[in-house]
Amino acid sequence: MVRAASMWIGHEQVEARSGQTLPVEDPATEEVLATVPRAGPEDVAAAVAAARRAQPAWRRLPAPEKARLLHEVAARLRAASHDLADTLTAEGGKPRVENADELEWVTACFDYYAQVGRHARGTSIPPGFEHQVNFTVKEPFGVVAAIAPFNYPLLLMAWKVAPALAAGNTVVIKPAEETPLATLACARAFEALPPGVVSIVTGTGPEAGEPLVAHPDVDMIAFTGSTETGKRIMRLAADGLKKLNLETSGIDPFIVCEDADVDLAARAAVWARYLNAGQVCTSAKRIYVVEQVAERFVERMVELTRALVVGDPRRPDTDVGPLISREALARVQAALERAVGEGARLLTGGERPAGLARGHFIAPAVLDHVRHGSSPTQEEIFGPVAAIVRVKDVDEAIARANDSRYGLGATIITTSLRHALRAMDEVKAGTFWVNDPLTDNEAGPFGGMRQSGIGRELGEEGLDAFREPKHVHIDYVQERKPYWFPYAARDRGT
Ligand code: NAD
């Protein structure tokens, strides 16, 4: 029987006022797992009102108490992590082992911001005049809309909610329509917080996301998703001049230098391209290989790609699960066809894997001799397609890497200090990895340059993303200042 999940507003389980629901599908079996409320503007308004009511008291809660509650959320999530990983696997199709990892990162994020919020300090500023004191205090924006994508539903929720709460905001979460169930299941953990501090609304981008972004009582929007949606959100937010943090698409370069250990480089590329079936914002989407090692690299990459186990994400030996939806699979197939039409050589993959009659599966693909400037180097393929571009040297690789509208992450495989530091210095990317792609650290900032985003999540920057400084100027002697009016005659007797 299909389960009917509810939304969660002000600690209450609620349905959409319209009574409408949306199905949530298991992408590995194509079965409907559950339905969730299909929220509209009225439901969104109720969640925003709850957040607005809760915000003043939450802001005033002393820092040690906020920290205690955020640690409590982390502890509850940790206690529920087995079930949450199962739910993530069922609705998202990511291998369970990766979802168990995701839960560890999620709890680490809440613990981290409990500490960072507790220990955050301001600045004192040298005053410009005698008997004055200047300093800054950092204030929360108020109500934050946290809009998450399908590929890491809880992690990318945590990157927003934990720092937003630590900074004193209250939050309305809108998960992706494909993956709302694990987020709704987090309500049990958020019950540790006062009602309204966190609410969760479910629904589509246009029907629930847009009214949330446009709501006059939402002060700040923290969004992860595609660049196209990010631009739409920016336009909607412009009328209220709302604060924005946008984490958007990427077509990350991965550079294999002539000195690279070819086996290690191929293993790193396979991991960085096919993790989560290639549905990672920082996947290695453009692989620039120096000609000298290209033949050996491509051969090894194909061998390793063919050895990947594609299938049921619940099985512990599965490396690659399905894509999120039928539409996503069709998009990836079309992108592959287009790349081949543009002259790329498909060396392996692209077909439905044998023995998998149902589910949105595709065998991981390797495209060789991709021409820089052709579609895989220009348009994000959100699926398991490795696009290999052969280059004559590292200088060309760096130039090609930078020839992009995007700037999310970048990787270089080398032991040459010159290559590594030169690329670090020149490649436009919010994260730069040497020999170990995709590894994040909650204490280090994450985000994109160019059209890969605005602002940063994680680290102390990730806390500052959810608050703004107020400069305080105090003169502790109450006297008329020589620089006040009137200017012309210093004393007119007035
Ligand atoms: P998406 O943009 O389609 O959806 C993301 C979220 O935005 C969902 O919750 C969706 O319902 C909501 N949304 C859609 N239209 C909206 C609108 N008009 N107003 C308000 N909300 C709206 O993205 P997706 O398909 O879920 O995720 C894949 C994309 O996300 C890829 O491009 C990927 O690179 C990017 N991504 C970026 C990062 C990062 O940190 N930079 C991380 C993960 C994914």
Side-chain angles (χ1 to χ4, degrees), residues 295-346:
E295 217 49 56
R296 283 188 295 133
F297 173 85
V298 170
E299 196 181 309
R300 191 68 185 122
M301 179 103 191
V302 169
E303 263 171 24
L304 292 167
T305 301
R306 289 193 177 135
L308 291 171
V309 177
V310 183
D312 182 354
R314 293 165 181 83
R315 289 179 56 101
D317 58 346
T318 295
D319 299 312
V320 177
L323 293 177
I324 188 67
S325 64
R326 184 176 297 276
E327 296 72 32
L329 177 59
R331 273 197 299 272
V332 171
Q333 283 165 335
L336 256 178
E337 268 173 40
R338 185 168 169 206
V340 171
E342 289 168 338
R345 287 189 218 153
L346 177 62

Side-chain angles (χ1 to χ4, degrees), residues 148 174 176-177 210 223-226 229 247-249 281 380 446:
K174 204 218 63 77
E177 39 274 67
E210 296 206 1
F223 164 80
T224 302
S226 65
T229 308
E247 303 287 347
T248 58
S249 312
C281 52
E380 185 184 40
F446 180 93

Side-chain angles (χ1 to χ4, degrees), residues 33-47:
L33 290 166
T35 61
V36 294
R38 183 170 182 157
E42 288 184 334
D43 307 296
V44 167

Side-chain angles (χ1 to χ4, degrees), residues 146 148 216 357 494:
T494 50

Side-chain angles (χ1 to χ4, degrees), residues 146-152 156 159-160 174-179 203-213 221 223-230 232-233 236 246-251 279-283 285 324 331 380 382 406 408 446-448 452-453 457:
I147 302 178
F150 74 83
N151 60 342
Y152 290 90
L156 299 173
W159 287 10
K160 297 163 183 53
K174 204 218 63 77
E177 39 274 67
E178 300 91 340
T179 55
T204 68
E207 292 169 1
E210 296 206 1
L212 182 59
V213 169
I221 297 129
F223 164 80
T224 302
S226 65
T227 294
E228 280 322 302
T229 308
R232 170 87 186 132
I233 286 176
L236 289 169
L246 303 176
E247 303 287 347
T248 58
S249 312
I251 314 186
Q279 301 168 114
V280 183
C281 52
T282 46
S283 292
K285 293 178 187 128
I324 188 67
R331 273 197 299 272
E380 185 184 40
F382 218 52
Y406 298 99
L408 192 53
F446 180 93
S452 288
E457 293 185 327

Side-chain angles (χ1 to χ4, degrees), residues 100-391:
D101 267 3
E102 179 168 347
L103 260 304
E104 284 190 22
W105 288 101
V106 167
T107 52
C109 182
F110 276 93
D111 280 332
Y112 172 74
Y113 279 110
Q115 290 299 316
V116 173
R118 168 72 186 90
H119 298 294
R121 289 158 53 163
T123 50
S124 72
I125 298 162
F129 299 93
E130 223 186 321
H131 44 72
Q132 295 184 342
V133 177
N134 292 64
F135 57 91
T136 56
V137 290
K138 300 239 179 126
E139 288 189 7
F141 292 114
V143 174
V144 169
I147 302 178
F150 74 83
N151 60 342
Y152 290 90
L154 296 191
L155 186 68
L156 299 173
M157 175 277 286
W159 287 10
K160 297 163 183 53
V161 175
L165 296 181
N169 302 278
T170 52
V171 183
V172 177
I173 303 170
K174 204 218 63 77
E177 39 274 67
E178 300 91 340
T179 55
L181 298 175
T183 309
L184 288 172
C186 293
R188 300 291 290 275
F190 293 132
E191 259 170 18
L193 308 170
V197 170
V198 172
S199 292
I200 306 165
V201 294
T202 54
T204 68
E207 292 169 1
E210 296 206 1
L212 182 59
V213 169
H215 196 291
D217 273 343
V218 168
D219 303 290
M220 193 254 178
I221 297 129
F223 164 80
T224 302
S226 65
T227 294
E228 280 322 302
T229 308
K231 289 180 184 178
R232 170 87 186 132
I233 286 176
M234 250 181 124
R235 289 187 191 104
L236 289 169
D239 266 350
L241 213 71
K242 296 185 183 190
K243 310 300 179 272
L244 289 167
N245 208 70
L246 303 176
E247 303 287 347
T248 58
S249 312
I251 314 186
D252 286 6
F254 182 105
I255 300 174
V256 182
C257 300
E258 70 281 353
D259 70 299
D261 171 332
V262 169
D263 178 64
L264 179 131
R267 284 179 192 281
V270 165
W271 147 257
R273 187 55 188 112
Y274 304 128
L275 180 75
N276 195 4
Q279 301 168 114
V280 183
C281 52
T282 46
S283 292
K285 293 178 187 128
R286 300 179 280 150
I287 303 178
Y288 295 102
V289 187
V290 171
E291 196 63 65
Q292 217 174 311
V293 292
E295 217 49 56
R296 283 188 295 133
F297 173 85
V298 170
E299 196 181 309
R300 191 68 185 122
M301 179 103 191
V302 169
E303 263 171 24
L304 292 167
T305 301
R306 289 193 177 135
L308 291 171
V309 177
V310 183
D312 182 354
R314 293 165 181 83
R315 289 179 56 101
D317 58 346
T318 295
D319 299 312
V320 177
L323 293 177
I324 188 67
S325 64
R326 184 176 297 276
E327 296 72 32
L329 177 59
R331 273 197 299 272
V332 171
Q333 283 165 335
L336 256 178
E337 268 173 40
R338 185 168 169 206
V340 171
E342 289 168 338
R345 287 189 218 153
L346 177 62
L347 301 185
T348 189
E351 74 284 1
R352 173 173 283 277
L356 293 170
R358 288 176 72 80
H360 311 304
F361 292 100
I362 182 168
V366 176
L367 290 171
D368 192 12
H369 293 286
V370 173
R371 186 177 48 79
H372 176 79
S374 67
S375 59
T377 66
Q378 302 289 314
E379 286 157 35
E380 185 184 40
I381 303 178
F382 218 52
V385 177
I388 299 173
V389 182
R390 298 175 179 225
V391 290

